[in-house]
Amino acid sequence: MPQLRLALNQIDSTVGDLAQNADAIVHWTRHSAEQGAHLVAFPEMVLTGYPVEDLALRPSFVEASRQALRALAARLADEGHGELPVIVGYLDRSETAQPKYGQPAGAPQNAAAVLHRGEVVLTFAKHHLPNYGVFDEFRYFVPGDTMPVIRVHGVDVALAICEDLWQDGGRVPATRSAGAGLLVSINASPYEQDKDDTRLELVRKRAQEAGCTTAYLAMIGGQDELVFDGDSIVVDASGEVVARAPQFAEGSVVLDLDLPAAGSVPQGVVDDGLRIDHVVLSEEPVPAYEAELAGGYAERLDDDEEVYSALVVGLRAYAAKNGFRSVLIGLSGGIDSALVAAIACDALGAQNVYGISMPSKYSSDHSKGDAAELARRTGLNFRTVPIEPMFDAYMGSLGLTGLAEENLQSRLRGTMLMAVSNQEGHIVLAPGNKSELAVGYSTLYGDSVGAYGPIKDVYKTAIFRLAEWRNRAAEERGQTPPIPENSITKPPSAELRPDQVDTDSLPDYPVLDGILALYVDRDKGADEIVSAGYEEEVVAKVLRLVDGAEYKRRQYPPGTKISAKGFGKDRRLPITSRWRELG
């Protein structure tokens, strides 16, 4: 059987930075060549970054992508890599699509190209366009209608893009019809909890359907609220894993494959009306060599480490790609700000994390002490600025009571954080979690102030679990656990009035989060939630709170998405709505 050394480059890219992304492609192509690769692949839309959103609708950006692709092909040849075929994702447009109602103007395409000998020798566009969750690809792209196949050293290699594997039909059965010996799918599939298991089973299933070895190449890094976890996978035709890349780590998987020899050149129209577009790059198999590279199998992270890693990567990418070097956090001594601080220290280094304790007359001594202890344990920059003088001045002028008095304290803290942010150049991190955001248990222009919310998609019960995992991981490494034990064990409280605890206003968090998981994440109605074992009165209260807080969530900053339905792009409901589950 012919041999082929395949290099899958699991790398990060930045939306709009065509020059830097091209540099990265050249760098990793050079690395692949040094490893003796015969075929090199990069992730979906790696040249433009992903997702480009409405940039896809700008003809100037589309044309810039096309020009950058041609320049990249020439550059690779100039640097001595012209004989090495390179698969690159980019933004293109259809040359043949006619203006049509309901399709994006200019017919942009989520596309990929094969670069060889200084030329763009083959282009193709994603056939299946996702239109769910965070994906709006019907808004931005028109689909491709070809089945691309390249012949490399006597092996026919079929090509696909992300959703082409996630949906039935299309290029997977077409790969079998075309008689390809290898299917390479390039992807920019965002991270979600437990998605790695789903992804593995998908790739196994598709390899069996395609009847050949299948390589699933993924992107890593972060883009706004999305995190990409890598986890590239290669399986053989029977579905057995051949290689698996690390999670949340940039790198190259290089492996030797024994693949069936290509037959006659496939032609015609196959499954889903796809027209085979076949290009011969090299007919002769490479001279037989001793296979040395097996690609390896990276151990999977456990569930809590996986989520924590996603939160770290998301914050690090957001800060770096937007030119921010340091962050500012209001440290209350509670669990949420403590976990955000730990994530920030891991993402940016403690020297770039600034914390302010802003006690009021209601702040307990243990909370003030817990904030200082967190700073001592992590080494972050710390100061204390009491808000009581400012609070007294406002109260003397306005005479506020009740909820208005409570929220004033939070808003004074938000004002102070933004003032320090403006003065010193740090971005503020909002410490709200998904449970709070769901029920509106956060003060607008107070604890919702910030440029990024690292834990906005994490339920409160998971906050405790992640804090415990982070401390346990530190102990296992012989390090100081970053989060004070008291921050984990004491009852959660906003400390805006005497002896206040969260359960004065909310159900216990395990109950609250259980209801929210059904209502928010799974769109279950009130009757179904009650049938799941929750008290009708409690369900009614929680659903009313969720429905009434939509206007607050719209004003919350972006934050790392880890669930299948995060607030924002995933879950889109009208602010103005009189529909209520219980009347």
Side-chain angles (χ1 to χ4, degrees), residues 135-149:
F135 304 107
D136 290 306
E137 296 208 4
F138 278 118
R139 171 184 173 89
Y140 299 123
F141 306 123
V142 296
D145 59 2
T146 64
M147 179 62 239
V149 182

Side-chain angles (χ1 to χ4, degrees), residues 17-342:
D17 197 342
L18 299 171
Q20 178 179 298
N21 296 339
D23 287 345
I25 294 168
V26 171
H27 168 81
W28 286 101
T29 299
R30 183 183 307 119
H31 172 80
S32 301
E34 290 169 353
Q35 300 296 309
H38 305 127
L39 177 64
V40 179
F42 289 91
E44 177 181 7
M45 295 193 81
V46 66
L47 186 57
T48 56
Y50 181 89
V52 297
E53 299 185 305
D54 276 17
L55 286 174
L57 306 179
R58 290 191 189 177
S60 58
F61 186 63
V62 177
E63 188 54 36
S65 170
R66 288 158 59 93
Q67 291 178 7
L69 182 75
R70 293 191 290 270
L72 175 62
R75 181 179 171 187
L76 289 172
D78 290 343
E79 296 202 13
H81 307 304
E83 293 299 320
L84 182 58
V86 179
I87 306 164
V88 175
Y90 73 111
L91 175 64
D92 202 355
R93 58 177 167 80
S94 173
E95 303 287 0
T96 58
Q98 298 297 314
K100 183 179 178 182
Y101 182 75
Q103 289 191 346
Q109 291 186 311
N110 179 339
V114 179
L115 311 181
H116 190 236
R117 295 179 179 172
E119 302 290 336
V120 179
V121 296
L122 176 69
T123 64
F124 63 100
K126 183 187 286 189
H127 176 60
H128 287 309
L129 299 178
N131 199 45
Y132 53 85
V134 299
F135 304 107
D136 290 306
E137 296 208 4
F138 278 118
R139 171 184 173 89
Y140 299 123
F141 306 123
V142 296
D145 59 2
T146 64
M147 179 62 239
V149 182
I150 55 173
R151 185 162 295 180
V152 181
H153 294 297
V155 176
D156 274 346
V157 181
L159 306 174
I161 302 175
C162 200
E163 195 72 10
D164 293 339
L165 257 66
W166 286 92
Q167 290 191 32
D168 292 334
R171 286 186 171 137
V172 173
T175 295
R176 180 182 286 273
S177 299
L182 173 66
L183 171 60
V184 175
S185 176
I186 62 172
N187 307 270
S189 183
Y191 169 78
E192 292 173 9
Q193 290 172 275
D194 303 320
K195 192 174 184 178
D196 56 333
D197 297 330
T198 304
R199 180 186 293 136
L200 175 59
E201 291 310 309
L202 172 79
V203 178
R204 282 175 163 164
K205 178 182 177 182
R206 296 310 189 212
Q208 291 166 345
E209 292 172 351
C212 65
T213 298
T214 297
Y216 180 102
L217 168 60
M219 183 179 283
I220 67 103
Q223 169 63 28
D224 293 343
E225 295 184 307
L226 302 182
V227 173
F228 304 95
D229 59 322
D231 190 30
S232 298
I233 304 168
V234 182
V235 303
D236 64 21
S238 68
E240 290 298 313
V241 176
V242 175
R244 196 165 187 184
Q247 297 167 279
F248 305 106
E250 191 168 57
S252 184
V253 176
V254 183
L255 71 163
D256 291 311
L257 298 170
D258 292 324
L259 300 167
S264 58
V265 173
Q267 298 179 8
V269 175
V270 288
D271 305 78
D272 277 10
L274 295 172
R275 172 181 53 82
I276 292 179
D277 190 1
H278 188 282
V279 174
V280 176
L281 302 181
S282 49
E283 284 278 15
E284 290 300 314
V286 296
Y289 63 92
E290 184 175 350
E292 299 175 344
L293 301 178
Y297 186 95
E299 291 301 316
R300 304 296 90 198
L301 305 179
D302 69 34
D303 291 345
D304 291 334
E305 183 177 8
E306 180 183 284
V307 171
Y308 190 88
S309 298
L311 299 176
V312 169
V313 169
L315 174 57
R316 180 186 294 140
Y318 186 84
K321 292 183 178 182
N322 287 286
F324 303 124
R325 296 182 179 178
S326 56
V327 297
L328 178 65
I329 307 166
L331 297 178
S332 68
I335 186 66
D336 294 327
S337 62
L339 182 62
V340 168

